[in-house]
DNA sequence: GTATAATATAATGTATAAGTTAATGTATTG
DNA sequence: CAATACATTAACTTATACATTATATTATAC
């Protein structure tokens, strides 16, 4: 508790503004496309404009928002085309990570960690808990990025996850039950165990291409052009 | 002339600070690893600290610098491992672009544009003009990114090009004459013409993997751990 | 009624002062 | 000589005042 307080005190206002704003964006608390003026946001976050501006520069650089001078900032709405672009990048880089891992191999401990996420996903499905399922699914993908060992690749993918997060969470309940995901993950793990990079990449790519297509189609189907 | 002045006037001080600082970084005008205090940079660029801070936030976000509170900012030195990481990402995303292009095909005009860069590269080699060669080489890669049509993928790759630019320019004169590059490029173009995505990707990947290995090896060989 | 010019307003850019805090220097003690 | 405590200095954070400029509103001319 005390360390939390102390840690909280050491975070600058600009860092706090950044984190709060980013959380609101990812939680769909700020309607995409709507403009928010600097003074509105400063009041909302309880800071002056200087730390707020710093936060806005970071978020714009990360592709989550766009600042239009004199009109304010807006959460960038995501179209189906945007999602297709983003998934193309995520797929490419994750496959690169999978390829690296499969060629190098993983320790038994690392394999266990991956398998545990599959168990969690299956349990979450049994309990009809899509939020837990999504977290376990993300754990799987994140572990792949961790094991790859390329910190910049991981950071780049995480950034694109952020950008697509709202759309992924928004459409979670609109998709069919993700029973295939667990199978795909298991097959990727098997291929990694066998050090079959080509197969691991092929399965993972198909997994991501399918997932991306589902998402893009939902956006088109529901005409959600302001996600 | 007047439009230049007017355009110049409309660029904010923070944008100007960002561009000047970025140019200095890419030109190796600021020694990597050395710290520069905010007030030093503000004086150097002739601005106050507010626009400078904004510039620093952007550059740090782009991975070109690191700001260490109370010590100032430093251009991030690049090690051989860093370059290996960066080239892994560039290679993966460029190959994704090549795959997309080769599967979709290019117009005759687009093919011509690519071939023109090969001509420029050959001419530059004849004249022993490595700077011109480097520009033509970059033109080739940039066109691939343009034709792919994924603006985020292009932006991400350009950002990593930026980060690696200093190392690439620094080592330009330390590498063997890049005669293979022109051949590789030509073969990629031929495979794209034939809509052979697998072949185009394979050649391009090998091209980039080789280029990356050369760079990484030069950094290791010359012990250039502060590039 | 429409187009244009003038004016007012509001949003943002920028500079800088004040406050906070971390780094450094110095003195003291064991 | 090393470790620790304290004082000083310097770097950065933050708030806000002022300047600039883009946008909105109003007035005027045709």
């Amino acid at each position: 508790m005390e360390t939390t307080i102390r840690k909280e005190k050491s975070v600058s206002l600009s860092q706090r503004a950044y984190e709060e704003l980013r959380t609101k964006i990812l939680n769909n608390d700020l309607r995409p496309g709507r403009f928010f003026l600097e003074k509105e946001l400063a009041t909302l976050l309880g800071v002056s404009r200087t730390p707020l501006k710093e936060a806005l520069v970071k978020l714009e650089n990360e592709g989550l928002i766009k600042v239009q001078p004199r009109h304010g900032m807006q959460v960038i709405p995501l179209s189906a085309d945007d999602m297709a672009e983003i998934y193309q990048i995520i797929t490419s880089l994750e496959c690169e990570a999978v390829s690296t891992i499969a060629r190098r191999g993983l320790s038994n401990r690392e394999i266990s960690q991956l398998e545990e996420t599959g168990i969690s996903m299956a349990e979450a499905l049994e309990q009809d808990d899509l939020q837990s399922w999504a977290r376990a699914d993300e754990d799987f993908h994140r572990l792949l990025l961790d094991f790859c060992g390329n910190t910049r690749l991981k950071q780049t993918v995480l950034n694109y996850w952020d950008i697509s997060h709202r759309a992924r969470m928004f459409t979670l309940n609109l998709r069919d039950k993700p029973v295939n995901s667990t199978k795909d993950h298991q097959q990727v793990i098997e291929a990694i165990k066998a050090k079959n990079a080509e197969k691991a990449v092929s399965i993972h790519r198909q997994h991501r291409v399918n997932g991306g297509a589902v998402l893009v189609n939902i956006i088109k189907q529901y005409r959600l052009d302001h996600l």
Side-chain angles (χ1 to χ4, degrees), chain A:
Chain A
M1 186 67 72
E2 283 165 343
T3 56
T4 304
I5 290 169
R6 192 145 71 238
K7 186 175 178 202
E8 209 175 74
K9 223 176 232 175
S10 72
V11 165
S12 64
L13 283 183
S14 59
Q15 184 61 23
R16 214 166 47 74
Y18 164 79
E19 284 166 3
E20 280 189 43
L21 209 44
R22 180 175 166 275
T23 298
K24 285 185 187 302
I25 292 164
L26 296 188
N27 286 348
N28 270 312
D29 288 341
L30 302 173
R31 186 159 133 171
R34 191 201 140 174
F35 282 105
F36 298 89
L37 299 173
E38 272 187 16
K39 72 183 184 188
E40 288 181 283
L41 295 168
T43 303
L44 179 73
L45 300 175
V47 296
S48 77
R49 287 169 54 227
T50 312
L52 172 71
K53 278 187 71 72
E54 196 164 319
L56 293 179
V57 170
K58 280 178 179 172
L59 291 164
E60 183 168 33
N61 229 294
E62 288 170 7
L64 288 166
I65 65 165
K66 172 191 168 106
V67 174
Q68 186 157 326
R70 310 226 173 240
H71 290 270
M73 89 138 208
Q74 68 171 202
V75 177
I76 296 180
L78 289 177
S79 67
D81 284 348
D82 291 322
M83 284 308 303
E85 277 203 1
I86 290 164
Y87 259 72
Q88 184 173 22
I89 296 169
I90 289 174
T91 303
S92 173
L93 292 178
E94 281 189 7
C95 286
E96 182 62 34
V98 164
S99 175
T100 299
I101 290 166
R103 279 189 275 102
R104 195 170 68 225
L106 290 179
S107 70
N108 289 338
R109 201 176 89 86
E110 288 167 333
I111 294 287
S112 291
Q113 282 178 282
L114 284 174
E115 286 171 339
E116 268 167 42
T117 69
I119 294 167
S120 298
M121 284 165 73
E123 284 175 356
L125 272 188
E126 270 183 27
Q127 289 153 16
D128 226 2
D129 186 349
L130 283 178
Q131 294 291 341
S132 289
W133 176 88
R135 270 193 296 277
D137 177 59
E138 184 169 302
D139 284 344
F140 173 80
H141 289 275
R142 190 186 297 270
L143 282 172
L144 294 178
L145 297 174
D146 284 338
F147 297 152
C148 165
N150 186 327
T151 56
R152 287 178 175 85
L153 187 152
K154 175 182 174 180
Q155 192 53 52
T156 302
V157 173
L158 292 186
N159 183 233
Y160 280 110
W161 280 9
D162 266 10
I163 297 173
S164 63
H165 179 83
R166 295 187 302 99
R168 288 191 286 112
M169 290 305 107
F170 192 97
T171 57
L172 190 56
N173 290 298
L174 300 172
R175 301 181 231 157
D176 292 336
K177 259 196 178 189
V179 289
N180 286 329
S181 245
T182 309
K183 286 179 196 164
D184 287 341
H185 289 193
Q186 193 54 44
Q187 285 176 342
V188 169
I189 295 171
E190 293 307 317
I192 288 173
K193 273 167 149 177
K195 285 203 177 185
N196 190 333
E198 196 174 341
K199 189 175 181 186
V201 165
S202 178
I203 298 165
H204 193 85
R205 181 179 298 281
Q206 200 56 52
H207 171 66
R208 273 307 198 187
V209 165
N210 289 347
V214 165
L215 209 58
V216 167
N217 284 339
I218 288 177
I219 296 176
K220 283 174 176 172
Q221 182 185 342
Y222 286 76
R223 275 183 302 119
L224 301 169
D225 55 10
H226 59 276
L227 261 179

